[in-house]
Amino acid sequence: MSQDITSTEPAANAGTPTNTIKKLGFFASIASLSYVFWIVGGMELIERVAFYGVKTVAGLYATDPVSKGGLGVTMTDFGTILMAWALVQAFVPVFIGGLSDRIGYKETIALSTITKIAAYLLMAFFPTYWGFMVGAIVLALGTGIFKPGIQGTLVKATNPQNSTMAWGMFYQMVNIGGWVGPLIAAQLRILDWQNVFYACAAIISLNFVMLLLYKEPGKEEREAQLAAQTDKKSLWRESIQEFKQAHLIYYTIIFSGFWFMFMALFDVLPVHIRDWIDTTTIVATLFGEGGTDSIAWRSVLGMDSDGMTILPEGMMNLNFGMIMLTCFIFAALAQRLGTMNSLVVGTFLCSGALFIIGGVNVAWFLVLAIFAFSVGEMLASPTSYKLIGNIAPDDKKAMYLGFKDLPLGIGWVAESYIGPMLYDKYAAKETLAKAMLSEKYQQTSEALAAIPEGEYFMHLVAMSGQTEQQMTQILYEQNNIGVVWFVMGAIGIASAFGLVIYSKWIISARSSLSSEQKALVD
């Protein structure tokens, strides 16, 4: 999930002529990375393990019935939580990103760690809608505080010779953390949902140990510059004036649509898998009809305790796993395709994956869709950040890199409510089961109100005499489950065509670009 890498190579190096930088070889680049880089990378990995341990299963927890330890709320209610989560996490760095420069990177990382521990404990101690809402907002705040300190350190701990390798390794650590977190959550939630939150609080607290080994690079220089600063006027006016330029407005509109489509996979798909995808077919193909008794396989694949099915977080981990193993290959492919071609192809692939998810409820087709989405993500997501940095004027690199998170914030905030709401209305198994109980089995509104949220489907199975698998198939065939994914995919397709038009427009405006910028957007 590469949107977590929210920076390109160090802005401080932007003015260095690329033809004068001596690039190191693969092993030399790794050997040149300082111990501060590895400490920061380790802290990022720990933070991602804890974060994705909760984020990947949040929809499952929210919509699980209270009788199973969940919150017992609808997807629409969960969408409200997600929207608050996205709003805080996306825009907090915009407003307090300079906090790290003022009070220090180490101090802000410590502050964010305390905040995130509090968030996970709030979720554990208050297993209610409002408890999880407050916990999610506090977690988003902690994440927003965490990023500037980590990424600021990374910029200062690298140089033009090893920055490409540094960001590549950092990207890998993000995905390793994203892969491990859901696997831990999958095993712990089988026992009790609260175990997930306690474990994540314990995991993130390990960053205090890492902070003991951390030393901020260039701290004295930063403090001296801050002390010598006499002109402390706000840059908001200059930023707003710059943002009025047509190419930035179009960039924001197009990529807001891209991120809207993109985030749907992570916010809605885990619940879709639980509701509609029978993963026993994958297990039968890999291990036979009897499944597996191997603890190792059950852990690595994110399986249930019986070894008969792969849990939704296990399926979602195909994304992290594939990126973790192949990102360098597709980074090379993206470089060969060029910036705009890579963006267009990647966006089409992500959108096509959503159409596959909406069109077929066969487990192996879901695997194909996640693989296609992952390839599209690797081509488009990092390149979208690269583009904004490349078209920025040399004296406004940092300002433009600040603009890059705006479409992510707009797209994610909009999707975080609209995606779950659409799914709740048109595709949630509980919604459709409740409707069938009312229409076919003539259950009164009073009788339906007496059924706890999250248990309508189980009541439908009991009344129908069908098995869970049979009733799932009946509901799937009688309703247009895929409409949600078709809407999301269509937004992605529109964004892809928008990119084509944007590319042609940028090319037509080449006369206003420097020769270096022309090469970068080709």
Side-chain angles (χ1 to χ4, degrees):
M1 188 176 180
S2 57
Q3 78 273 12
D4 292 297
I5 297 301
T6 54
S7 179
T8 57
E9 295 181 12
N13 301 330
T16 306
T18 55
N19 60 353
T20 65
I21 299 173
K22 180 182 178 182
K23 295 294 183 181
L24 300 176
F26 180 82
F27 293 107
S29 294
I30 294 177
S32 71
L33 297 174
S34 67
Y35 91 94
V36 174
F37 167 82
W38 296 109
I39 294 297
V40 168
M43 287 193 286
E44 175 74 12
L45 189 153
I46 289 169
E47 189 270 343
R48 292 289 90 181
V49 169
F51 180 84
Y52 281 113
V54 168
K55 181 63 171 63
T56 305
V57 301
L60 303 174
Y61 171 64
T63 56
D64 250 11
V66 174
S67 61
K68 293 184 178 180
L71 298 181
V73 302
T74 66
M75 279 292 282
T76 299
D77 293 331
F78 173 60
T80 304
I81 296 175
L82 264 186
M83 184 172 65
W85 188 336
L87 189 65
V88 175
Q89 184 169 318
F91 294 110
V92 158
V94 175
F95 293 103
I96 66 170
L99 185 67
S100 294
D101 291 325
R102 290 186 176 274
I103 70 172
Y105 296 159
K106 186 172 188 175
E107 289 77 6
T108 52
I109 294 170
L111 176 62
S112 73
T113 302
I114 294 171
T115 305
K116 290 166 83 69
I117 291 173
Y120 295 127
L121 293 179
L122 280 168
M123 294 175 181
F125 291 153
F126 302 98
T128 63
Y129 174 83
W130 287 107
F132 192 70
M133 167 74 86
V134 174
I137 292 172
V138 174
L139 179 59
L141 176 63
T143 305
I145 296 172
F146 181 78
K147 286 180 178 294
I150 288 292
Q151 294 179 355
T153 300
L154 187 58
V155 167
K156 290 191 174 185
T158 58
N159 56 61
Q161 290 183 312
N162 62 14
S163 61
T164 299
M165 176 59 69
W167 285 104
M169 295 298 295
F170 188 74
Y171 178 71
Q172 283 291 68
M173 291 178 186
V174 167
N175 283 287
I176 292 171
W179 182 74
V180 172
L183 294 180
I184 294 174
Q187 300 307 313
L188 291 176
R189 78 174 177 93
I190 293 174
L191 302 174
D192 191 302
W193 272 112
Q194 306 314 307
N195 291 338
V196 175
F197 308 124
Y198 288 128
C200 289
I203 290 168
I204 192 63
S205 67
L206 294 175
N207 270 346
F208 285 124
V209 178
M210 303 295 284
L211 280 170
L212 295 176
L213 304 173
Y214 171 93
K215 182 179 180 181
E216 179 187 330
K219 181 178 180 179
E220 294 77 11
E221 180 184 354
R222 174 184 60 79
E223 291 177 339
Q225 289 177 345
L226 188 63
Q229 187 177 6
T230 56
D231 184 9
K232 300 188 183 224
K233 66 180 181 179
S234 172
L235 295 177
W236 280 97
R237 184 174 298 177
E238 183 182 355
S239 297
I240 292 172
Q241 191 65 31
E242 186 72 21
F243 186 74
K244 290 180 181 178
Q245 296 193 63
H247 66 284
L248 287 174
I249 294 174
Y250 296 155
Y251 173 91
T252 300
I253 293 172
I254 292 168
F255 280 98
S256 293
F258 170 82
W259 289 116
F260 184 99
M261 171 273 299
F262 183 91
M263 295 304 296
L265 188 96
F266 302 97
D267 291 341
V268 180
L269 185 57
V271 177
H272 176 88
I273 295 171
R274 182 195 62 192
D275 284 354
W276 305 113
I277 306 298
D278 180 11
T279 59
T280 59
T281 56
I282 296 177
V283 176
T285 302
L286 297 176
F287 304 106
E289 296 295 332
T292 178
D293 294 326
S294 169
I295 295 176
W297 278 119
R298 293 205 306 263
S299 299
V300 170
L301 296 179
M303 302 175 71
D304 65 359
S305 57
D306 296 328
M308 294 296 296
T309 62
I310 299 176
L311 297 171
E313 47 266 57
M315 295 296 291
M316 294 298 298
N317 252 17
L318 292 172
N319 171 261
F320 286 113
M322 184 175 177
I323 294 175
M324 186 172 61
L325 296 173
T326 65
C327 69
F328 290 121
I329 297 173
F330 288 99
L333 177 60
Q335 187 170 343
R336 291 181 66 87
L337 286 173
T339 301
M340 297 309 298
N341 287 338
S342 182
L343 283 169
V344 172
V345 172
T347 304
F348 272 120
L349 280 171
C350 289
S351 304
L354 300 192
F355 279 98
I356 295 173
I357 293 169
V360 188
N361 72 328
V362 177
W364 279 110
F365 274 90
L366 177 64
V367 172
L368 173 64
I370 293 175
F371 279 167
F373 188 94
S374 301
V375 172
E377 176 183 347
M378 286 184 279
L379 292 176
S381 179
T383 309
S384 68
Y385 293 130
K386 175 184 174 184
L387 174 65
I388 191 69
N390 287 345
I391 65 176
D394 287 340
D395 61 339
K396 295 179 179 177
K397 291 288 185 183
M399 181 186 294
Y400 272 61
L401 290 174
F403 293 150
K404 75 186 183 306
D405 285 332
L406 185 59
L408 169 59
I410 294 171
W412 187 19
V413 169
E415 179 281 328
S416 62
Y417 181 77
I418 294 173
M421 182 269 292
L422 287 176
Y423 185 84
D424 191 23
K425 185 174 182 179
Y426 296 107
K429 185 187 284 188
E430 281 292 290
T431 301
L432 303 178
K434 183 178 181 179
M436 181 174 280
L437 283 170
S438 174
E439 297 166 6
K440 183 175 181 178
Y441 293 96
Q442 303 299 309
Q443 295 292 293
T444 64
S445 57
E446 291 80 9
L448 291 174
I451 300 173
E453 187 66 46
E455 297 186 10
Y456 291 111
F457 178 71
M458 297 308 298
H459 276 71
L460 178 60
V461 169
M463 294 191 71
S464 68
Q466 304 283 344
T467 65
E468 292 184 26
Q469 190 173 13
Q470 290 170 333
M471 184 50 65
T472 296
Q473 192 60 31
I474 290 170
L475 288 174
Y476 188 87
E477 291 173 354
Q478 292 182 358
N479 297 276
N480 188 8
I481 305 299
V483 65
V484 178
W485 299 104
F486 298 152
V487 169
M488 298 295 183
I491 292 172
I493 293 293
S495 297
F497 280 112
L499 281 168
V500 173
I501 297 170
Y502 186 71
S503 174
K504 293 181 181 298
W505 180 74
I506 285 288
I507 291 173
S508 69
R510 286 164 65 93
S511 59
S512 64
L513 299 176
S514 68
S515 58
E516 185 179 49
Q517 287 175 313
K518 290 177 184 179
L520 290 171
V521 299
D522 282 343

